[in-house]
Amino acid sequence: MDIVFSINNNAEIMVLPVAPEWEISEDQANETYNGLSFNIRMIGNPGLRTLEISSFFPSKKYPFVNPYADVDPQAYIDFFRRIKTERIPARIVITDKQSVERLNMAVSIDNFVYKYRTNGDADFSVSMTEYIFL
């Protein structure tokens, strides 16, 4: 599985070195109204999808690291911090082991948390929300 982030129409691309499991949340703005003798359920518009992934940025080439990935944790940290600082959307593309695209979505970065380990690797967690271009 590959997880790739890009900004500015692929002007800059970052391949995650270790692809974690991922889960998408798809909310729906449904509402229930209380009637005199029964409740009425109204189906609302779909909400924006959210996604959170957690893994680590390695500081050296482990055998399981994606061959197209960088092994400089600071490069990834700078990439995600720049997205937040410059207030620009990113695109996440996730493909499975057969290179079939499972997700292709523009996102805004809501939260980015990282910490360095003593061996130089950096653990991270990034929360994203779907970004709709107007």
Side-chain angles (χ1 to χ4, degrees), residues 13-116:
I13 297 171
M14 296 296 274
V15 178
L16 288 189
V18 181
E21 292 183 354
W22 54 280
E23 177 179 88
I24 289 193
S25 175
E26 296 188 13
D27 291 330
Q28 187 94 13
N30 300 332
E31 295 183 42
T32 301
Y33 296 97
N34 297 324
L36 293 175
S37 55
F38 56 89
N39 292 338
I40 299 170
R41 185 74 169 163
M42 299 297 292
I43 298 174
N45 293 327
L48 297 174
R49 297 178 288 176
T50 59
L51 171 68
E52 183 174 330
I53 56 175
S54 298
S55 187
F56 78 100
F57 303 130
S59 59
K60 58 183 177 261
K61 279 279 190 194
Y62 295 107
F64 53 84
V65 169
N66 187 312
Y68 301 107
D70 199 342
V71 289
D72 177 15
Q74 193 61 47
Y76 290 97
I77 291 167
D78 291 344
F79 177 78
F80 285 107
R81 291 182 70 212
R82 188 169 58 256
I83 290 169
K84 289 177 61 65
T85 303
E86 294 178 8
R87 298 173 30 190
I88 56 176
R91 180 163 299 278
I92 182 172
V93 177
I94 301 176
T95 57
D96 64 14
K97 290 183 180 183
Q98 290 77 33
S99 296
V100 174
E101 189 175 281
R102 296 297 175 193
L103 178 69
N104 184 338
M105 179 171 72
V107 296
S108 62
I109 305 298
D110 299 325
N111 194 22
F112 177 59
V113 178
Y114 63 92
K115 71 174 179 178
Y116 273 96

